[in-house]
Amino acid sequence: MVKKQARKQAKRAAGGTPATVALTTAKAGFTLHAYEHDPAAPSYGEEAAEALGVSADRVFKTLVADVDGELTVAVVPVSGSLDLKALAAAVGGKRATMADPAAAERTTGYVRGGISPLGQRKRLRTVVDSSAESHATVCVSAGRRGLEVELSPSDLTSLTSATLAPIARP
């Protein structure tokens, strides 16, 4: 147990994030993509897609919603938006609203614009938009602005224990 904690600390000290540590620990295949983040960018996800030269359909944003009083993670393409009713239905809830940004940051351990579905401080119920399955790989935040991780949709859903459901609107 002590050795495992020491390895995690060493990986973080070497520049990793909790998301990349989780991927490395799980021995998942992934590619890390760094780019220069512009604080004035109106959309973190669209900025990432453009900087990486990747279709906005393959770059997914991580949003935190409140479904009937429980924080829930929604992972949707940056080319679309989250359908809150569909998210609530996907988890058997009645009503969903966007979570308070401070609560999302505190619970996940990440800052807004850098929230990753992977390696969160508190593991939250997660739903990935079913469109992810149509791609060989997708990109999600690696845990900070200007850093994306590319991985297979199956690894993303497996590592986050996510449900796949149509929760995005074009």
Side-chain angles (χ1 to χ4, degrees), residues 62-113:
T62 305
L63 303 170
V64 181
D66 180 317
V67 180
D68 298 336
E70 183 179 343
L71 292 182
T72 302
V73 172
V75 183
V76 297
V78 301
S79 59
S81 60
L82 173 61
D83 181 335
L84 288 165
K85 285 184 180 185
L87 175 64
V91 296
K94 293 181 181 182
R95 186 170 185 267
T97 59
M98 292 307 297
D100 172 62
E105 289 179 347
R106 190 174 45 253
T107 304
T108 64
Y110 294 115
V111 297
R112 202 171 92 212

Side-chain angles (χ1 to χ4, degrees), residues 86 90 127-131 163-168:
V127 181
V128 175
D129 185 66
S130 54
S131 68
T163 301
L164 281 166
I167 59 168

